[in-house]
Amino acid sequence: MYNVPADFINEQKVWDVLNAHKTADSYKIREILAKAAEMKGLDMEDVAALTNISDPVLLGELFDTANQVKETIYGKRLVLFAPLYISNLCSNECLYCAFRATNKDIVRNALTQEQIAKEVEVLINHGHKRILMVAGESYPNQGFQYVLDSIKTIYEVKSEHGEIRRVNVNIAPLSTEEFVELKKANIGTYQIFQETYHRETYKKVHLGGKKRDYNWRAWSLHRAMEAGIDDLGIGVLFGLFDYRFEILAMMQHIRELEKQFGVGPHTISVPRLEPATGSDLAAHPPFPVSDIDFRKIVAILRLAVPYTGIIMSTRETAKMRRETFALGVSQISAGSRTNPGGYEHEEDEDDPSGQFSLGDHRPLDEVIQDVAKMGYIPSFCTACYRLGRTGQDFMDLAKPGDIKLHCAPNGLSSFKEYLQNYATPETTEIGNRLIRETIAGMDGLAKQRAEKLVKRVEAGRDDVYC
């Protein structure tokens, strides 16, 4: 099955839909937005029409509808995590990436298990509870076992400030048998990006290594699902090709997963191409995405796949990240480093061995304070993973908006834990005020749960959730 073309990505159909919906009058756009507000998702034709919005009034209505859908499902919370790069070794030749095999402008490094433990301890002491473990698509002599050993190491690190409660991974596509082993390692989400769904562009920017095989990569989420990993993250590297094409092709991928396995991805990431050491292409994107189009991308994805978490990384500036919170973003990285060893050696902030340039260099506490001032709840919750609310179980709660009954209380209790254990005095004051105001505005079961969990944290208990 996985040695055949990934025919669920039908490029001709994408072009046909885009060409058929180059224009749409205001009546049609508002009709689509009304449909989106029902939170049942959109089809390709709807999405194609929304990508062509340029009228400021309609743009405002698009953004308002996205905010409405996001807050109905997830509320005013933002999940925080940190990427942990354990290696920048890579056998691929991707023209946009600093890790590409022939790039001589970076220092190669694969962290030992002892070094990984030190990185994790730094992250724990900052207050992080979620890690996205990332590696270049080549490993030291241990091969894939290096990945499994690294996950084990991350979970084993304990400090006076706690531990990492969930490890998500972004690594090279695996065989079904390897995915079974990854599942046994107790990961959260398996994340992988096709980078571009446009086959001709894919071939042009992937010149060597196993990643050159479009089909092997495109089928990877099928293999992961068959291996029992039902919590998946996908994405596109915007800037490699026309963003309109990429969104519709990604929609085809999502619908294929829903058709075959009953559930789509848990998260969608929306990275834009950013400068990377030794990459002229990264500095000069073939299809640059403007800020207004980038905001449209976030809003459209929120409406098209309403149940899915949207991830915004520190590639973007603090300003852009703020602007996307109200458009559908529900997860953000913070205090990030993209070079192996970057947390232990924070003084090397400008180390050129990172995978790409960062737009937001702020430390975690500063990000949290900024988020809280905006009225959003910074959440470190990992309850869904640990209680088995993944895959279909998560979708059954997310699609009607019932996930808020868990996410809101858990987000508040994990935020309170951060404030008591890690925050600066100013952040603590701002955060506690926000928690009080948020609980006061809640009602019913969600309020009861929030009050109960926060009181437990105030009494000295950590890691409480429902």
Side-chain angles (χ1 to χ4, degrees):
M1 175 181 179
Y2 303 124
N3 294 321
V4 301
D7 56 3
F8 54 87
I9 305 298
N10 186 330
E11 294 189 13
Q12 187 56 56
K13 182 176 181 180
V14 171
W15 290 123
D16 289 345
V17 171
L18 285 173
N19 289 329
H21 296 82
K22 286 182 178 179
T23 60
D25 59 32
S26 59
Y27 176 82
K28 178 61 177 177
I29 293 298
R30 290 187 172 110
E31 189 177 59
I32 295 171
L33 294 179
K35 175 182 176 182
E38 297 175 2
M39 300 184 299
K40 296 179 181 178
L42 300 174
D43 56 34
M44 288 177 61
E45 290 75 13
D46 298 327
V47 171
L50 295 181
T51 63
N52 289 302
I53 295 177
S54 58
D55 177 77
V57 174
L58 292 177
L59 271 176
E61 293 179 23
L62 168 67
F63 295 160
D64 288 344
T65 306
N67 182 53
Q68 173 190 333
V69 169
K70 188 260 183 176
E71 294 202 3
T72 299
I73 294 177
Y74 289 103
K76 294 185 75 69
R77 71 175 182 92
L78 287 170
V79 171
L80 288 102
F81 69 93
L84 174 60
Y85 282 72
I86 61 173
S87 167
N88 60 9
L89 306 182
C90 199
S91 58
N92 296 319
E93 190 62 21
C94 309
L95 295 184
Y96 49 82
C97 183
F99 292 178
R100 61 188 175 84
T102 62
N103 187 11
K104 305 300 183 183
D105 295 335
I106 67 170
V107 176
R108 302 291 173 173
N109 187 18
L111 301 181
T112 65
Q113 296 306 312
E114 291 75 17
Q115 290 172 322
I116 291 172
K118 289 179 180 178
E119 289 282 278
V120 173
E121 187 171 356
V122 172
L123 288 170
I124 291 172
N125 290 338
H126 286 171
H128 279 291
K129 301 300 180 188
R130 288 181 178 225
I131 278 179
L132 173 65
M133 193 187 80
V134 187
E137 297 196 5
S138 181
Y139 309 121
N141 293 334
Q142 305 99 304
F144 176 57
Q145 187 62 42
Y146 174 69
V147 171
L148 300 178
D149 291 345
S150 299
I151 296 170
K152 185 172 184 289
T153 294
I154 294 170
Y155 278 129
E156 288 179 343
V157 176
K158 310 293 180 184
S159 81
E160 61 177 319
H161 294 292
E163 67 288 313
I164 296 300
R165 295 169 184 162
R166 187 53 46 184
V167 180
N168 301 329
V169 296
N170 183 319
I171 58 172
L174 304 173
S175 67
T176 304
E177 293 73 23
E178 289 171 326
F179 273 125
V180 170
E181 294 304 308
L182 190 64
K183 168 74 172 179
K184 291 178 182 177
N186 198 30
I187 67 162
T189 301
Y190 173 68
Q191 181 188 87
I192 191 168
F193 307 155
Q194 189 67 17
E195 316 293 11
T196 173
Y197 285 98
H198 187 245
R199 289 177 174 83
E200 183 180 349
T201 299
Y202 190 95
K203 184 176 180 180
K204 287 179 179 178
V205 300
H206 299 107
L207 301 185
K210 198 167 186 177
K211 192 170 179 178
R212 186 167 171 77
D213 189 337
Y214 180 103
N215 294 319
W216 173 255
R217 195 170 187 87
W219 284 110
S220 61
L221 296 184
H222 286 69
R223 297 192 299 275
M225 283 280 200
E226 290 186 349
I229 300 175
D230 59 3
D231 205 89
L232 304 172
I234 67 173
V236 167
L237 184 53
F238 288 102
L240 292 176
F241 193 61
D242 186 329
Y243 79 87
R244 297 171 180 83
F245 175 94
E246 301 287 19
I247 291 177
L248 266 66
M250 183 162 57
M251 290 294 299
Q252 289 183 328
H253 199 168
I254 291 168
R255 299 311 181 210
E256 162 70 10
L257 293 173
E258 292 173 337
K259 175 183 176 182
Q260 296 297 327
F261 303 102
V263 294
H266 182 67
T267 61
I268 298 176
S269 295
V270 289
R272 274 196 292 188
L273 199 56
E274 295 292 341
T277 301
S279 172
D280 181 69
L281 185 142
H284 303 92
F287 290 82
V289 177
S290 69
D291 286 352
I292 189 64
D293 283 339
F294 187 60
R295 291 194 289 270
K296 280 170 58 177
I297 288 169
V298 174
I300 290 170
L301 288 174
R302 170 52 63 215
L303 300 181
V305 200
Y307 59 81
T308 302
I310 297 180
I311 298 176
M312 180 64 60
S313 78
T314 47
R315 286 175 179 262
E316 298 298 332
T317 64
K319 179 178 182 295
M320 177 54 70
R321 277 152 58 93
R322 292 186 195 103
E323 292 175 353
T324 59
F325 295 165
L327 303 179
V329 166
S330 56
Q331 296 190 26
I332 60 171
S333 53
S336 303
R337 297 291 184 271
T338 66
N339 56 306
Y343 295 109
E344 185 183 6
H345 304 287
E346 290 188 48
E347 68 276 7
D348 299 331
E349 183 176 304
D350 297 321
D351 185 339
S353 297
Q355 189 179 27
F356 52 83
S357 298
L358 298 178
D360 187 350
H361 295 267
R362 297 173 299 166
L364 175 62
D365 192 79
E366 188 175 337
V367 173
I368 286 178
Q369 185 178 133
D370 187 39
V371 167
K373 285 179 178 177
M374 295 177 66
Y376 292 96
I377 300 296
S379 171
F380 297 88
C381 176
T382 57
C384 283
Y385 295 117
R386 297 153 81 194
L387 292 175
R389 290 195 295 257
T390 61
Q392 188 63 56
D393 289 337
F394 176 83
M395 299 304 171
D396 288 344
L397 289 169
K399 288 182 178 180
D402 291 343
I403 195 65
K404 272 201 309 186
L405 293 175
H406 302 279
C407 292
N410 290 337
L412 288 166
S413 65
S414 67
F415 183 31
K416 181 66 177 181
E417 182 181 343
Y418 173 85
L419 295 175
Q420 293 196 167
N421 295 337
Y422 310 97
T424 60
E426 184 178 1
T427 300
T428 300
E429 180 181 352
I430 293 169
N432 281 329
R433 182 168 60 248
L434 177 60
I435 289 174
R436 291 193 299 269
E437 292 172 352
T438 301
I439 292 178
M442 299 169 72
D443 55 27
L445 181 59
K447 183 174 185 176
Q448 294 173 23
R449 287 176 171 175
E451 290 176 331
K452 182 178 180 180
L453 294 180
V454 168
K455 285 180 180 178
R456 287 181 179 177
V457 177
E458 290 174 339
R461 289 188 59 185
D462 289 340
D463 195 18
V464 297
Y465 53 88
C466 61

